[in-house]
Amino acid sequence: WDDMGHVVTNNHVVTIGKGGLLDDADEVRVTLVDGKTYQARVIGRSVAYDTAVLQVFAPLEDLKPLPIGTSKDLEVGQGVLAIGNPWGLDHTLSTGVVSALNRTLATEFNTELTGVIQTDAAINPGNSGGPLLDTAGRVIGMNAYIPPATGASVGIGFSIPIDTLNRVVPKLIAKGQLFRPRLGFDAISDASAQAQGIARGIVVQLVEPDSPASRAGMVPATMEPNGAIKTLGDVIIAVDGHRLDSISDLGAYL
């Protein structure tokens, strides 16, 4: 990632177990292109972004950072290259194109990745954490997803965009963890709102005291014991000029 010995990978790469039994790996080792293996430690991780930062105890001159590109101007059809260790076959290169942009994907940590890059470059078990490059060799994403139904490549793969990593990784290096923004309000479910005649928007149900929502003057609805809306308060229909139809729209935008 940089000239300080930091390596970026997926959080699930340095996590053991599945489902509700996930735990941090006790030991992490990194093998460089010359075949030498070094101890490393996890200095920062974000479950929300499935991203982890390692400090690798190798000579700094042997850790050459890749040039960082941008993902905001990617276009469907653009050529890409993926590097990883599929099925343990180290330093494997596969090629493809950007198949789609701005995908939303669920992770095994019960979080959602947004703005994800979809590619048809072959991504198999062992590709996670490897770079997705443009044809100039610049990092535009980090390969993160293997189709769960088969555990093998089915002509579709996904990468966390580099613009997201550029926001997340420096904070993980500096602080070790990433705190997501706190709004300070709860909303009734989209299905319940629609069932009560509110076609779109987010119905504010509860405002936490001394929270950003409270300080902004947000007004909650009053509710009947059966969950029906008694008196409607604020309904959020847009943020920064972007239309919101559901609670997930707000989460994705933030």
Side-chain angles (χ1 to χ4, degrees):
W1 180 263
D2 55 23
D3 56 5
M4 303 287 288
H6 296 124
V7 166
V8 179
T9 188
N10 288 138
N11 186 49
H12 74 255
V13 171
V14 291
T15 303
I16 58 175
K18 292 184 178 180
L21 302 176
L22 297 177
D23 198 6
D24 300 343
D26 293 328
E27 182 180 11
V28 178
R29 290 175 290 169
V30 174
T31 300
L32 303 186
V33 69
D34 60 8
K36 294 180 181 178
T37 298
Y38 298 91
Q39 291 293 122
R41 66 184 178 95
V42 179
I43 65 167
R45 63 171 77 230
S46 169
V47 170
Y49 292 99
D50 192 15
T51 297
V53 180
L54 313 180
Q55 180 75 56
V56 182
F57 301 109
L60 291 180
E61 60 268 20
D62 293 340
L63 295 169
K64 297 179 172 59
L66 289 169
I68 302 297
T70 181
S71 51
K72 64 181 180 181
D73 55 359
L74 292 177
E75 296 182 1
V76 173
Q78 181 175 333
V80 294
L81 307 92
I83 295 177
N85 300 339
W87 306 110
L89 302 171
D90 58 12
H91 304 96
T92 294
L93 173 73
S94 58
T95 64
V97 298
V98 174
S99 302
L101 297 167
N102 296 316
R103 295 301 198 198
T104 299
L105 291 170
T107 74
E108 61 186 276
F109 302 104
N110 295 318
T111 63
E112 283 190 339
L113 297 171
T114 58
V116 172
I117 303 165
Q118 179 184 328
T119 176
D120 66 350
I123 295 178
N124 286 278
N127 276 104
S128 292
L132 186 72
L133 310 171
D134 63 17
T135 52
R138 296 168 298 205
V139 181
I140 57 172
M142 177 170 65
N143 302 323
Y145 181 77
I146 302 163
T150 62
S153 176
V154 290
I156 189 171
F158 299 92
S159 295
I160 303 172
I162 191 62
D163 291 352
T164 297
L165 295 176
N166 271 328
R167 290 190 292 105
V168 172
V169 171
K171 294 178 182 177
L172 293 180
I173 292 173
K175 298 183 178 181
Q177 56 185 321
L178 190 67
F179 297 98
R180 303 194 83 176
R182 172 176 170 262
L183 297 177
F185 75 90
D186 290 332
I188 72 171
S189 69
D190 295 330
S192 178
Q194 292 169 6
Q196 298 183 65
I198 301 169
R200 74 176 189 92
I202 301 168
V203 179
V204 178
Q205 180 180 13
L206 176 69
V207 176
E208 299 173 15
D210 194 29
S211 67
S214 174
R215 291 192 291 272
M218 195 170 285
V219 178
T222 57
M223 310 295 293
E224 300 284 5
N226 63 0
I229 299 172
K230 181 178 181 181
T231 304
L232 193 63
D234 285 329
V235 179
I236 304 170
I237 60 172
V239 57
D240 291 341
H242 295 267
R243 173 177 169 139
L244 299 179
D245 291 326
S246 65
I247 297 170
S248 60
D249 288 345
L250 177 61
Y253 178 76
L254 293 177

